[in-house]
Amino acid sequence: MSGPQCCANPPTLNPTTGGGHVENLGGLNTYVNGSPHSKLAVLLVSDVYDALNLRKLADKIAAAGFYVAVPDFLHGDPYVPNAGRTLQDWIKDHGTVEDKAFEEAKPVIQAIKSKGITAIGAAGFCWGAKVAVQLAKREFIQAAVLLHLSFVTVDDIKAVEVPTAVLGAEFDQISPPALLKQFEEVLIAKSEVDGYVKIFPKVSHGWTVRYNVEDKSAAKCAEEAHQNMLEWFAKYVN
């Protein structure tokens, strides 16, 4: 995760972004949207940047009928490029952040379930994919989607217990196509768990949430990944 691609194309943040609101959910400030009467939920786990850049995607998922939660696992301290702290220093300051976030995700999930939610999907981006794959091992959720993954290993994929989709990039130094192919082999061999790997051509790490909306080609690739994610959740979070 510490490679330069994790820092490429940082999002432009706007604290008023989104049609939802922020509330405390399981001890974390969480952006939420969607009907409180829905029985189906999606948890989004951001990359190292501020989760605000996921609000537009969260709103899209909410419009499809899901209750959506985007917890601030970064505790108000996202990575900010060119702010006097390298990504490596940020990682040191946060410790093994994906393990901490996994533990923090548990009460968030319980809080979501307390609203009457009966099925939950989780999507993780970059290091957030490590959180989602950990949740997928222990059946806290009903389905997982891992997008431009970091830290995820073959052993992680071997351990998943719920349907898992992997959406990767052709140009990704962190999870290159060769590693994604290994994930695919594992998922194919796991006949008891549905899963697939899709490698998007001509895109780079971070393409689903850090793209120029004015670039029609980039936007089209991101939207295709968003649609794949929605289709996966529609199939298995029910």
Side-chain angles (χ1 to χ4, degrees), residues 96-116:
T96 311
V97 67
E98 76 277 6
D99 289 334
K100 181 181 178 183
F102 167 60
E103 292 301 322
E104 292 177 332
K106 296 176 184 178
V108 172
I109 288 174
Q110 288 303 314
I112 292 173
K113 290 180 177 179
S114 73
K115 296 177 179 292

Side-chain angles (χ1 to χ4, degrees), residues 1 89 145 204:
M1 191 198 79
D89 288 339
V145 180
S204 301

Side-chain angles (χ1 to χ4, degrees), residues 13 20 22 24 29 54 71-72 74 98 101 111 113 129 157 160 165 170 183 202 204 210 232 235:
L13 302 180
V22 175
N24 186 293
N29 288 331
L54 281 183
D72 179 15
L74 307 181
E98 76 277 6
K113 290 180 177 179
I157 301 299
V160 298
E170 179 181 4
F183 294 165
K202 301 179 181 179
S204 301
R210 301 200 303 271
W232 195 250
K235 184 176 182 180

Side-chain angles (χ1 to χ4, degrees), residues 12-91:
T12 300
L13 302 180
N14 180 351
T16 64
T17 297
H21 66 278
V22 175
E23 64 179 62
N24 186 293
L25 201 63
L28 294 179
N29 288 331
T30 303
Y31 177 79
V32 300
N33 200 356
S35 171
H37 304 296
S38 177
K39 299 296 183 183
L40 312 175
V42 170
L43 177 74
L44 299 181
V45 189
S46 75
D47 55 15
V48 297
Y49 290 111
D50 196 308
L52 291 176
N53 69 321
L54 281 183
R55 290 185 177 187
K56 185 176 180 180
L57 178 55
D59 293 348
K60 183 188 297 187
I61 298 169
F66 295 95
Y67 176 82
V68 187
V70 190
D72 179 15
F73 291 113
L74 307 181
H75 296 276
D77 184 31
Y79 176 65
V80 179
N82 305 315
R85 181 170 55 163
T86 67
L87 181 60
Q88 288 75 16
D89 288 339
W90 182 90
I91 293 171

